[in-house]
Amino acid sequence: MSPLMSPVVVVGAGLGGLAAAVHLAAAGRQVTVVEALDGPGGCCGTAQVGAYRFDTGPSVLTMPGVLAEVFGAAGQELRHWLPLRRLDPSYRMVFDDGSRLDVLPEREAMAEQVRTVCGPAEAARYERYRRVLDELFRVEWPAFIDADMTRLRALARPAALLRLAALGGFRRLDRLAARHLTDARLIKAHTFQSLYVGLSPQRALGIYAVIAHMDTVGGVYVPERGGMHAIPAAMAALLEKLGAGIRYGVRARTVETDSDGVTGVLLEDGDRLPAGQVVVACDRLAARRLLPASADDWRLRRPRHSPSCLVVHAGLDRALADQAHHTLHFGRTWRETFTALAAGLPQPDPSLLVTYPEPDGEAAPDGHATLSVLEPAPNLERADWDRLRPELESRLVGRLAELGYGDLSAAPRLVLDPPAWAARGHSAGTPFALDHRFTQTAWLRPQAVARRVPGLHFAGMYTAPGVGVPPVLISGRLAAERILKEAR
């Protein structure tokens, strides 16, 4: 069968797998998605605890245009499938001295916020730094984020690299921010995002300031209803409309190959799905059991995982007044928290990310609400969680009471710690995959195509461009583009 006509199997119905499948099905390919869970979403999951529903993955969407491109590939408009609401503020930052800074996407409004909290001189510095963020994003996005990194020559972009160097992209992130800003609070507000890629601001390169740009300049969004899990649900519905098949509740056992490459996928229920191409869009290390030895990637010989997190999802018997969707409570210490995390120790005074979705009438009973709190924590490779779990959970609940959220010790709740993340299929007990140190970035990140197994492709957080909703969606699109190019 010619590559153009051969069916494609996608292993994993997370955002990367769904994005790949939509692009392929929209181009006329026969696609089947295989998912071990009972529904779509993968990391962008959902859970029910009594009368309360929680998002168990990402809590906001940045760069909604990337998601719109997935629907656009099928000739559909995102707003017809999934209306979004932009958050205002994007974040609320509460500092240990009691001061507060609301992060707003509009330049003038944000500059006024900085002027009020940090003074007019810092506001002027902020506006200059914002222009640096704009330029970093303008250079990085087309050259290194929204681009296929499967060949070494993809890095050969001298003009972009020189411009990034001139902007400070190869400095450490904290030094880049401190070069332009002087108020420690504002520096924290523009560098804490490095934890999203598994690194401290002192270790992350300045190129990752683009994450701060996505958050603080591009704005953040949520679906109007259904929480973040509404995103994969809408993508799966679109995929079914395109005629693709999705098989839930069944695991892939083996990706079968012959001397010419991929031939199909054998499922654990005994069924076999013939395929000329396969996209593996699940945890890359866990997927080794599916793959032939020839698919091994030398980049995975010594994987360096990101830290993990302890998350408490609690059902509230009341709504909260004047509560932002995202509130970041900074601890008293800063560098010490990252030093502890790198050493596999709990942070001595952690910063907490509190998510309070606006009640939509579906996630909680009338007059009630949900609250989710994330504390960065060491992964399973670095700590004994049988010992840590009760200690850190108790400390976290106590800290929330001190911050004014009330006593949640008896509230209906779901707690996700590294053992729980591991049980959900995340290697090393972290939902953030590999960190983004230089040796695990771009072409040096595990490859999205198996060179010695024709027809075998990868998508998701373990491939470039990496961790986060927009990068994972991009990874799915890039996998589809490579497959479609093979068929020409």
Side-chain angles (χ1 to χ4, degrees):
M1 185 179 295
S2 75
L4 180 61
M5 300 301 294
S6 60
V8 182
V9 173
V10 177
V11 180
L15 297 180
L18 291 172
V22 168
H23 280 279
L24 289 165
R29 296 299 295 270
Q30 179 186 338
V31 180
T32 302
V33 179
V34 176
E35 170 55 55
L37 300 177
D38 293 330
C43 294
C44 195
T46 186
Q48 194 82 22
V49 179
Y52 298 92
R53 185 201 69 217
F54 303 102
D55 284 323
T56 57
S59 54
V60 292
L61 173 69
T62 59
M63 305 298 295
V66 177
L67 181 60
E69 287 177 356
V70 178
F71 286 81
Q76 303 290 313
E77 290 194 38
L78 174 62
R79 61 189 176 90
H80 293 155
W81 288 80
L82 189 71
L84 300 177
R85 173 171 58 90
R86 193 179 77 173
L87 297 178
D88 185 14
S90 303
Y91 285 86
R92 176 163 291 159
M93 311 274 184
V94 181
F95 300 96
D96 63 287
D97 62 1
S99 60
R100 189 176 93 174
L101 178 71
D102 279 358
V103 175
L104 308 172
E106 292 83 3
R107 182 183 300 272
E108 297 80 7
M110 184 60 191
E112 184 57 33
Q113 277 279 311
V114 175
R115 187 174 294 108
T116 300
V117 176
C118 307
E122 192 72 354
R125 285 188 283 268
Y126 163 75
E127 294 207 66
R128 289 193 292 271
Y129 186 51
R130 182 168 173 137
R131 288 193 288 272
V132 172
L133 294 180
D134 288 341
E135 182 66 4
L136 278 169
F137 182 82
R138 187 192 68 79
V139 175
E140 284 184 56
W141 184 264
F144 302 109
I145 300 174
D146 193 31
D148 194 334
M149 288 285 126
T150 56
R151 295 190 180 276
L152 182 58
R153 64 170 177 263
L155 294 177
R157 302 175 187 267
L161 291 170
L162 287 172
R163 185 59 183 147
L164 288 177
L167 291 166
F170 299 113
R171 291 171 174 257
R172 297 301 175 185
L173 179 59
D174 63 333
R175 295 178 186 175
L176 172 63
R179 180 184 180 187
H180 298 276
L181 306 170
T182 61
D183 191 295
R185 296 168 297 182
L186 203 56
I187 292 172
K188 290 178 182 179
H190 286 84
T191 59
F192 82 90
Q193 296 90 349
S194 67
L195 272 178
Y196 297 163
V197 294
L199 300 171
S200 72
Q202 294 79 40
R203 292 194 61 197
L205 291 176
I207 55 175
Y208 290 112
V210 296
I211 306 174
H213 182 280
M214 294 179 193
D215 274 357
T216 67
V217 176
V220 296
Y221 297 77
V222 293
E224 286 188 356
R225 302 187 72 82
M228 286 292 288
H229 186 65
I231 295 174
M235 295 173 70
L238 173 60
L239 193 55
E240 291 177 355
K241 181 178 179 178
L242 292 171
I246 307 181
R247 296 189 57 171
Y248 296 118
V250 61
R251 291 182 179 276
R253 176 182 294 173
T254 308
V255 175
E256 297 184 327
T257 62
D258 62 16
S259 58
D260 294 324
V262 167
T263 61
V265 175
L266 180 65
L267 307 181
E268 288 195 346
D269 64 5
D271 282 357
R272 182 184 183 278
L273 302 176
Q277 289 96 7
V278 170
V279 179
V280 175
C282 55
D283 184 291
R284 184 68 173 272
L285 291 171
R288 279 176 161 168
R289 65 178 180 81
L290 308 175
L291 306 175
S294 55
D296 280 352
D297 189 330
W298 59 265
R299 299 163 184 82
L300 284 168
R301 288 174 187 165
R302 296 184 63 193
R304 300 293 194 272
H305 283 93
S306 292
S308 186
C309 57
L310 174 68
V311 182
V312 173
H313 299 285
L316 305 181
D317 59 6
R318 68 201 185 283
L320 302 180
D322 190 32
Q323 181 72 27
H325 182 96
H326 265 168
T327 302
L328 188 59
H329 294 275
F330 286 98
R332 293 179 300 277
T333 60
W334 185 240
R335 285 180 174 270
E336 295 85 347
T337 63
F338 298 113
T339 300
L341 200 58
L345 300 171
Q347 298 185 48
D349 184 31
S351 299
L352 303 180
L353 178 63
V354 176
T355 302
Y356 177 75
E358 183 177 302
D360 63 2
E362 297 177 355
D366 288 345
H368 295 227
T370 62
L371 192 76
S372 300
V373 188
L374 182 151
E375 174 184 329
N379 61 41
L380 287 179
E381 295 175 334
R382 309 301 303 275
D384 176 6
W385 274 93
D386 289 338
R387 178 183 60 83
L388 277 184
R389 161 71 183 269
E391 172 190 334
L392 293 191
E393 183 181 350
S394 176
R395 184 181 74 169
L396 183 55
V397 171
R399 176 83 186 280
L400 289 171
E402 294 172 1
L403 292 170
Y405 292 99
D407 182 5
L408 301 180
S409 58
R413 67 181 190 252
L414 169 67
V415 180
L416 296 177
D417 62 358
W421 294 121
R424 289 170 177 246
H426 297 289
S427 296
T430 173
F432 304 113
L434 303 179
D435 69 34
H436 279 253
R437 66 187 66 202
F438 177 75
T439 54
Q440 294 185 154
T441 298
W443 181 79
L444 293 170
R445 204 162 180 83
Q447 287 290 277
V449 61
R451 295 293 177 195
R452 292 185 292 171
V453 185
L456 180 57
H457 299 260
F458 300 92
M461 294 185 291
Y462 278 79
T463 67
V467 176
V469 174
V472 166
L473 292 171
I474 289 170
S475 76
R477 190 203 77 220
L478 293 174
E481 288 178 351
R482 285 191 300 273
I483 289 172
L484 296 173
K485 188 179 296 184
E486 287 177 1
R488 291 174 188 164

